[in-house]
Every structure is written in C-alpha cells, then in structure tokens.
Amino acid sequence: MVTTVTSYGRSGLSDWLVQRASAVILAVYSIFMVVYLLLNPLIDFAQWNSLFSGTSMRIFSLMALLSLGAHCWIGLWSVSTDYLKHFAVRFVFQMVIGLLMFIYTIWGVQLLWGL
Amino acid sequence: MLTVSIYRYHPELDEKPYMQDFQVDTGGKDIMVLDVLNLLKIQDRGLAYRRSCREGVCGSDGMNINGTNGLACITPLSSVVKNNKLVLRPLPALPVIRDLVIDMDQFYKQYEKIKPFLINDTPAPGIERLQSPEEREKLDGLYECILCACCSTACPSFWWNPDRFIGPAGLLQAYRFLADSRDTATEERLAGLDDPFSVFRCHGIMNCVTVCPKGLNPTKAIGHIRNMLMTRAT
Ligand code: SF4
Ligand code: SF4
Ligand code: FES
C-alpha cells in the first residue's frame, strides 16, 4: 500500500471512478453544447440568456463545472507525481492547481447564477 | 557481416556509457540474438550479459533489441534486424551494473510486495488442497510468467514510479494469487492494492502486452484486479 495525502479521494479506486464519471459528464455536456449551437446557428443574447436561466441547465452546467475541477485536479496531480521528482516543486505545483480549480469553480458559480 | 552496436558500461573503468560497434560473421544463417552475443564474447571476453537456459525459460536474458524489449535467446535475427544492423541495450529504467546487466532489485521489491505465495490459514488437508479443473484453468495465462522484466521495463508508468507502481509483472502475479481458489487472503491482498499508485498508475498503454515473450496479457489481469476492487468497494 502506497500512502499519499495529496490525492483527490485518497484511494486509487475512487480517483479512478471520479475520473471516469467526470469524463462522461464532460463529454455529454460538450456534445450538448455543440449540437445546440449547430441547431441554433443564429443565436442571440436573449436566447443564450434564457438557456442559462433554466434550473435544469444550471444544474447541468454546475455538474460539468465540478466535473471539470475534479477531472483537472486528478489528471494534473497524476502528471505531477510522474514528472515532478522534487518534493517542493511538486507540492507548490499541486497547491497552485488546487487553488486555481477552487477559484474557477467559485467564479463559474457566480457566472451561472449571474451574481 | 552483421553490424552490432552494443551499449557498454564498466563503472570502474568508464566515466560514461557508450555504444560500441562490432562486425559479426553470422555465416548467413538466421541465428538467435543470444548466439550473436556468444560470438561477440569470443571477440571481446569482457562483454557482460546474463543468460542461462538459452530457450526462453529462465528469463535472464531480457534486453532491449533494436528498440524493443525481448529475450535474446528466442529472438531470431530475421525478426528484428533491418539494414543489417542490430542494436543491443540493457532493459530500460533499471540501473546498469555493467554492459547489458541490470540491477533488478526494484523489480523484485515490487514482486515481493504482492506476496507471491499461497496464503491459507485453514488446517492443511491430509494430502493436498484440491482444485477443480475449472478453478485450475483460471491460472492459465498467469502462472507462465518467467519474471524476465521485459514488460515492467517497457512500461512508462513503471519508468516514472518504479518505487510506487507495482508494474505489469508484479500485477500479473498479484492476480495469479487473487484468482487462486486455494488462497484465502483475497481481502488483505486487495486492501494492499487500493491506493492511487500500486494498480491505478496503469494507464492501459499496453506496452507490456506487446513485448511479453511468453505472450501473456498483464493489462487484462490489471483490469480483473480493478474489477475486484470495484466489487469490494460497492
Ligand atoms: S509478464 Fe511476460 S514480460 Fe512480464 S515478466 Fe512475465 S514473462 Fe516477462
Ligand atoms: S498497460 Fe499498464 S502495466 Fe501495461 S505497459 Fe501500459 S501502463 Fe504499464
Ligand atoms: S537464456 Fe533463459 S530465457 Fe533466454
């Protein structure tokens, strides 16, 4: 058993599952967006605005946003443990990524709810 | 004449490793890479490499042959040589002791971690622990591993984390004991593998499957372990 305190879920299995599930959510969200834009090529601000004011769309977007944060964190954490061999460098990198993900998530919530 | 370029390194004499070229007369025959090494050994008595069985059974002559890991003794020249040139290097990722001889310590440490022996604390039966033919069949494709390290040293995940990722060879054996009907330590074994490195550093690159000289499939075994971990957790 290799112990790590900086991984996302502490267990390899939960990280792996979160990574797979978030990938599916992000894929569905991306496909939805592309299809929506293709079906509405001449979309204007009012329509765009009404799309994002529906509760289901907000839930869907928030889900995609949280997935993005978790997915990035697990992925980049993995990359950092592969390639950054110096403890201090790796730690700083992980903290910066963690902080960025936190900021983006809060910021995204603000945008979604138009706060 | 075949041109053979070999990785040379003698830590007491050389400052740095270097590649040395030799010309070898193969007599136009399609011999094995190990035969070429034996011919070279006549030219240069100091050349170091491991070999024992010379028939793909002992696993001691794993090396990097024209860029791909394999066993020298069962690799015919015709399957690897292009433009009449043969390039031999030690297996990647592990420290070199001398020339083609590597230090397998890290590889064995990972093997040791998975407890490569049957664990069963129930009272031993009079003669032996029996298995049905079906139970025995589950070990096919697992027990044949000769621990040559061709797979683990071809795996990028093992290159980057040889101390934390068990590697394909060790994981194939981990599953060999998980799948054994006579072993009762399934829970402990799984508990020891459920961290982000031991199993989950495998990204399914499948280099291990490509190079295994025994035609085994560590990626599949890793998939089985992952499924067992999943069943255990949900
Ligand atoms: S799985 Fe194949 S390549 Fe890996 S150590 Fe065993 S025999 Fe060698
Ligand atoms: S499939 Fe997994 S174990 Fe095999 S080479 Fe790829 S990462 Fe390594
Ligand atoms: S010498 Fe034994 S496997 Fe090649």
Side-chain angles (χ1 to χ4, degrees), chain A residues 1-4 7-17 20 74-75 77-85 90, chain B residues 113 156-157 159-165 191-198 200-203 226 229-231 233-234:
Chain A
M1 186 75 151
V2 180
T3 49
T4 38
S7 72
Y8 181 82
R10 300 284 170 88
S11 117
L13 183 68
S14 71
D15 278 17
W16 187 81
L17 276 176
R20 296 299 171 291
I74 296 172
W77 178 81
S78 248
V79 170
S80 76
T81 50
D82 272 351
Y83 297 107
L84 302 178
K85 290 300 169 196
R90 188 170 65 234
Chain B
K113 272 198 204 164
S157 288
W159 296 345
W160 312 141
N161 290 291
D163 52 340
R164 298 192 276 189
F165 174 50
L193 294 171
D194 186 27
D195 60 85
F197 284 95
S198 301
F200 289 96
R201 242 342 122 99
C202 168
H203 297 310
R226 214 186 271 134
L229 283 168
M230 194 106 80
T231 316
T234 48

Side-chain angles (χ1 to χ4, degrees), chain B residues 34 50-62 71-74 146 148:
Chain B
L34 181 63
R50 288 194 183 106
R51 54 108 191 84
S52 178
C53 69
R54 57 106 187 93
E55 55 186 9
V57 171
C58 71
S60 49
D61 63 346
L71 295 173
C73 60
I74 52 169
I146 56 174
C148 64

Side-chain angles (χ1 to χ4, degrees), chain B residues 121-154:
Chain B
D121 293 330
T122 59
I127 301 178
E128 58 189 338
R129 294 189 197 279
L130 295 176
Q131 268 189 317
S132 69
E134 293 74 35
E135 287 167 341
R136 169 60 188 76
E137 218 168 77
K138 291 201 177 130
L139 307 182
D140 288 344
L142 305 171
Y143 80 91
E144 299 93 328
C145 171
I146 56 174
L147 293 175
C148 64
C150 286
C151 56
S152 291
T153 59

Side-chain angles (χ1 to χ4, degrees), chain B residues 39-222:
Chain B
L39 288 172
L40 276 175
K41 185 93 177 165
I42 300 171
Q43 287 188 34
D44 182 346
R45 302 295 302 167
L47 178 65
Y49 53 94
R50 288 194 183 106
R51 54 108 191 84
S52 178
C53 69
R54 57 106 187 93
E55 55 186 9
V57 171
C58 71
S60 49
D61 63 346
M63 59 185 71
N64 189 275
I65 306 165
N66 276 9
T68 308
N69 293 352
L71 295 173
C73 60
I74 52 169
T75 305
L77 288 179
S78 59
S79 70
V80 282
V81 170
K82 275 190 207 91
N83 302 323
N84 218 26
K85 182 149 179 155
L86 180 66
V87 183
L88 300 177
R89 294 170 182 272
L91 288 177
L94 294 174
V96 173
I97 295 175
R98 189 172 148 183
D99 297 342
L100 301 178
V101 178
I102 51 162
D103 179 354
M104 311 255 294
D105 216 46
Q106 194 61 258
F107 177 77
Y108 292 133
K109 273 201 188 122
Q110 294 300 352
Y111 179 54
E112 211 181 310
K113 272 198 204 164
I114 62 104
K115 301 204 171 70
F117 40 83
L118 277 182
I119 301 175
N120 191 331
D121 293 330
T122 59
I127 301 178
E128 58 189 338
R129 294 189 197 279
L130 295 176
Q131 268 189 317
S132 69
E134 293 74 35
E135 287 167 341
R136 169 60 188 76
E137 218 168 77
K138 291 201 177 130
L139 307 182
D140 288 344
L142 305 171
Y143 80 91
E144 299 93 328
C145 171
I146 56 174
L147 293 175
C148 64
C150 286
C151 56
S152 291
T153 59
C155 170
S157 288
F158 187 75
W159 296 345
W160 312 141
N161 290 291
D163 52 340
R164 298 192 276 189
F165 174 50
I166 304 269
L171 290 171
L172 188 82
Q173 290 318 296
Y175 184 61
R176 182 243 169 278
F177 288 97
L178 284 168
D180 196 312
S181 60
R182 297 162 299 178
D183 191 278
T184 55
T186 309
E187 173 54 32
E188 294 94 291
R189 291 181 188 278
L190 289 176
L193 294 171
D194 186 27
D195 60 85
F197 284 95
S198 301
V199 175
F200 289 96
R201 242 342 122 99
C202 168
H203 297 310
I205 307 159
M206 289 181 83
N207 280 4
C208 51
V209 183
T210 314
V211 298
C212 178
K214 306 301 276 185
L216 307 178
N217 190 333
T219 311
K220 199 165 134 203
I222 294 168

Side-chain angles (χ1 to χ4, degrees), chain A residues 80-81 84-94, chain B residues 164:
Chain A
S80 76
T81 50
L84 302 178
K85 290 300 169 196
H86 191 280
F87 156 75
V89 177
R90 188 170 65 234
F91 186 72
V92 169
F93 177 84
Q94 290 172 353
Chain B
R164 298 192 276 189

